[in-house]
Amino acid sequence: MAEIKQWAVNICITLVATAMFSMLVPNGSMEKVLKFTISIFFVSCLLTPFLIGLPQMDWEEQTTYQADYADLTGKINEQLIKQSEMSVCRVVKSILEDEKISYEKISADVNISSDNSIFISKIYIELPVKETKNIQKVRQLVQEECQIETQVVLSS
């Protein structure tokens, strides 16, 4: 990109110089020869990059950007997974708190599919031993509310 900018600046400078020389050409027998020479000079300045070869593009720099993009995408996906898990856990906590059922730990198995959609495959709930009688109730409540497979276990 810098090479293209430099070429554009050179064309502008050449155009200004050519215009100045054209105005300074005296009338007379040498006028046609000098104007022809100035025109050839300007055209040669325009064609110089093509005659000596176009500037080489730095493809390594572009692959660096692609690597940065992939890294950024990975971080965004991690954050989306965490946020989704936290949202599911909040919903499950509110269900259990409404039913006045205590819990030890709530987690969810959240993934991102190949079409970039987020899906929750399973919810894990750990209940204290005193809530043994509510295992089925918790599983049923959460599955009905969230429509997600739920695994309920007792803490050790």
Side-chain angles (χ1 to χ4, degrees):
M1 191 68 161
E3 291 86 4
I4 294 172
K5 286 180 183 177
Q6 183 64 38
W7 182 50
V9 168
N10 288 342
I11 289 174
C12 291
I13 292 171
T14 305
L15 186 60
V16 169
T18 305
M20 287 175 35
F21 283 122
S22 292
M23 286 187 275
L24 294 175
V25 172
N27 294 335
S29 62
M30 293 295 290
E31 179 181 7
K32 287 183 179 180
V33 174
L34 288 174
K35 284 193 176 189
F36 178 75
T37 306
I38 291 170
S39 298
I40 294 295
F41 171 72
F42 182 70
V43 169
S44 67
C45 288
L46 284 176
L47 297 177
T48 300
F50 299 105
L51 296 174
I52 62 172
L54 293 173
Q56 297 296 320
M57 298 298 285
D58 188 8
W59 296 110
E60 185 176 308
E61 188 174 308
Q62 186 171 353
T63 55
T64 303
Y65 291 139
Q66 290 172 346
D68 290 345
Y69 175 75
D71 187 40
L72 181 61
T73 303
K75 288 180 182 180
I76 289 172
N77 286 344
E78 287 175 21
Q79 290 177 351
L80 285 171
I81 289 171
K82 282 183 184 178
Q83 290 297 321
S84 299
E85 183 178 2
M86 288 171 48
S87 296
V88 169
C89 290
R90 270 195 301 265
V91 169
V92 172
K93 286 178 185 179
S94 70
I95 292 169
L96 295 177
E97 288 170 357
D98 289 347
E99 295 293 323
K100 300 199 181 352
I101 298 174
S102 60
Y103 57 88
E104 294 283 326
K105 183 179 176 185
I106 300 171
S107 62
D109 189 11
V110 181
N111 297 298
I112 298 179
S113 65
S114 60
D115 65 347
N116 291 327
S117 61
I118 297 173
F119 67 95
I120 303 161
S121 57
K122 201 171 207 179
I123 298 174
Y124 301 96
I125 303 171
E126 190 175 314
L127 299 176
V129 177
K130 68 179 183 175
E131 296 291 348
T132 304
K133 63 183 182 292
N134 291 324
I135 290 178
Q136 289 297 353
K137 181 179 179 182
V138 168
R139 183 179 298 117
Q140 183 180 4
L141 284 170
V142 174
Q143 281 182 338
E144 285 175 4
E145 182 73 28
C146 300
Q147 301 295 312
I148 300 169
E149 181 184 347
T150 305
Q151 180 179 349
V152 183
V153 295
L154 295 173
S155 62
S156 327

